[in-house]
Amino acid sequence: MKSTHLSLIAGTVALAAITGFASLNVPEGPAAEETATASALPVERSSLVCPAPSTSDLAETSYTSFTPPGQETGKGQGGGQGAKDTAELKPALPVLDDEAETDPKKVKKAEEAAKKAQAKADKPVLAVKEPGKPVLADANGSDAPALVGTATGTLAPGWAAQQTTTVTAGGARGLLGVSCTAPDTDFWFPGASTARSRQDYLHLTNPDSGAAVADIQLFGAKGAVTSEVGDGITVPARSSVALLLSTLTDESVNDLTAHVTTRSGRVGAVLLTADDGSGTDWLTAAADPSGTLVMPGIPADATSVQLVAFAPGESDADVKVQLMGKNTTFAPAGNDTLHIKSGMTATVDLKDITRGEPGSLRLTPVEKNRATPIVAALQVVRGTGAKQEYAYIPATGPVDARASVTDNRAKGSTLSLAAPGATAKVKVTTSAGSGGGEAAAETYTVKAGTTMAVTPKPPAGFKGTYALTVETVSGGPVHASRALVLPEDGVQMFTVQTLPDDGGTVVVPSARQDLSVLDD
């Protein structure tokens, strides 16, 4: 026993010598407890996928990509010691005809096509070279592919990308904008449709080296919509598939909620909607089910706003419907509450709710102690008749630390900031342009219960496109979106992108010494 005690004492002295410096530098009090619990570190790897832009030969697409400065991980950490940091979006591989695997006449042709596709997939469409400077690329026509990409090291934290497509003619002419999304396993799309007037395509993009398998469920006003072909959909490795929702069911339903989950693997999922004669745009996934939701950035000149909501749990939901306007929060007359039955999609026409002022919609439980999780989105229309165009605003999470949106032009960008709880102070940075210019920053105070619409000032010496980065400085949570307007032949074509937190940091446990393990 004596020798054992001596060994333990010697070991303790050695450990104290090794860890002494760290011990002397550990803060005391609450700060020490927080440090010992967890710390936020910049991520070292990010993934994004972008859907195939359009099937129209008239489509003109711009791709933009950007990493904000300020959260560098250290050179080479993303890809190993000494590795070059990268942020590249490359073409996805095409999904080949099944017969090519069995038909001898098609085998050689398929092999040649696969080689050409692989050669294209090895060349990035656009690549960020340094934080703080956006990059730009263009593609025309219907052949532009889906994109998959990865950012590593100093270019990973906050990496963002967008594709913006203009279709100037045809029944579904309009402006289509979508922020490229991180792959995941669960997505909600309130606002989908299988009506005859609509063409809704669900795009599933798999960035990984193994196949993914997805299931699709549809829910209308009467509950689940019958579908025998929405289960077990295979998305090949590094490929993308587009599914027309109306082919999944015989039922024609105007307002649906689509739910996408994966059995294996992960995908990026986004819904392309087109309404004959009314316009077209992308519907991105809504925020995860929650008792309180915010949809920021309804344009001041909206002529029609439709709310689509769904209660995925076993309980009905009763929510307050409130508009956070320019100066205050108020309930729309006749639509101050909404009852959403379990497993069913509910809709309400809010008409021109903003009445000439920008606003954001907030949903909260009627009874605070009965917060039933829901998902929701808005379809927003600008203009009337043949001059109308629509876009979507899904419920989105708060900015939290930081969020960025790319593809801002010299004119046409409006940033909406909504503070549903306490007053908040927000820093907005305009990056350098893709073709030159200098970054600049401004700070705004958003009063509690209001929405502030900001028209960003392009950076000095600006050329090309620029990115906007929003950071919460102090106060309550802030929800944000950016509207991009590109008028064409008298139509105010527009698209809206929400700005949830960019996930540029990850919370990890902090290690601390514990010599109690040496006790006898």
Side-chain angles (χ1 to χ4, degrees), residues 209-271:
S209 57
V213 179
D215 295 329
I216 304 170
Q217 295 175 293
L218 304 175
F219 301 91
K222 297 180 180 180
V225 175
T226 303
S227 175
E228 297 180 358
V229 291
D231 292 338
I233 297 168
T234 299
V235 186
R238 286 186 56 82
S239 296
S240 185
V241 299
L243 304 165
L244 181 60
L245 287 190
S246 60
T247 64
L248 302 183
T249 178
D250 293 331
E251 298 184 43
S252 177
V253 184
N254 198 38
D255 297 303
L256 289 170
T257 298
H259 186 207
V260 180
T261 56
T262 61
R263 299 184 191 181
S264 62
R266 55 181 191 156
V267 296
V270 64
L271 190 69

Side-chain angles (χ1 to χ4, degrees), residues 7 58 104 108 127 146 152 185 205 231 254 263 295 308-309 389 495:
S7 299
L58 301 176
K108 187 174 181 179
T152 60
T185 59
T205 305
D231 292 338
N254 198 38
R263 299 184 191 181
M295 287 146 276
V308 183
E389 159 77 322
T495 182

Side-chain angles (χ1 to χ4, degrees), residues 223-428:
V225 175
T226 303
S227 175
E228 297 180 358
V229 291
D231 292 338
I233 297 168
T234 299
V235 186
R238 286 186 56 82
S239 296
S240 185
V241 299
L243 304 165
L244 181 60
L245 287 190
S246 60
T247 64
L248 302 183
T249 178
D250 293 331
E251 298 184 43
S252 177
V253 184
N254 198 38
D255 297 303
L256 289 170
T257 298
H259 186 207
V260 180
T261 56
T262 61
R263 299 184 191 181
S264 62
R266 55 181 191 156
V267 296
V270 64
L271 190 69
L272 174 60
T273 77
D275 194 321
D276 192 22
S278 299
T280 181
D281 210 346
W282 293 99
L283 170 59
T284 55
D288 290 340
S290 176
T292 298
L293 298 175
V294 176
M295 287 146 276
I298 305 172
D301 61 350
T303 54
S304 175
V305 178
Q306 178 172 278
L307 168 64
V308 183
F310 176 75
E314 297 181 356
S315 301
D316 293 357
D318 289 288
V319 297
K320 295 179 183 178
V321 180
Q322 296 174 306
L323 183 79
M324 294 182 288
K326 183 179 179 180
N327 299 306
T328 188
T329 296
F330 63 91
N335 291 305
D336 55 338
T337 62
L338 176 64
H339 180 72
I340 311 166
K341 294 183 179 180
S342 170
M344 300 181 187
T345 297
T347 61
V348 57
D349 185 1
L350 300 174
K351 301 181 173 28
D352 56 342
I353 185 175
T354 58
R355 298 189 181 278
E357 291 188 355
S360 302
L361 203 71
R362 178 175 66 184
L363 303 180
T364 57
V366 170
E367 298 181 29
K368 292 183 178 180
N369 60 344
R370 294 187 61 184
T372 302
I374 59 173
V375 293
L378 299 177
Q379 185 191 58
V380 179
V381 177
R382 301 177 72 205
T384 58
K387 299 294 185 181
Q388 68 177 295
E389 159 77 322
Y390 70 81
Y392 291 95
I393 307 175
T396 185
V399 170
D400 285 340
R402 185 185 65 180
S404 297
V405 63
T406 65
D407 199 6
N408 297 281
R409 318 286 177 96
K411 296 181 179 179
S413 292
T414 300
L415 178 67
S416 294
L417 306 169
T423 295
K425 187 174 289 186
V426 178
K427 178 183 176 183
V428 178

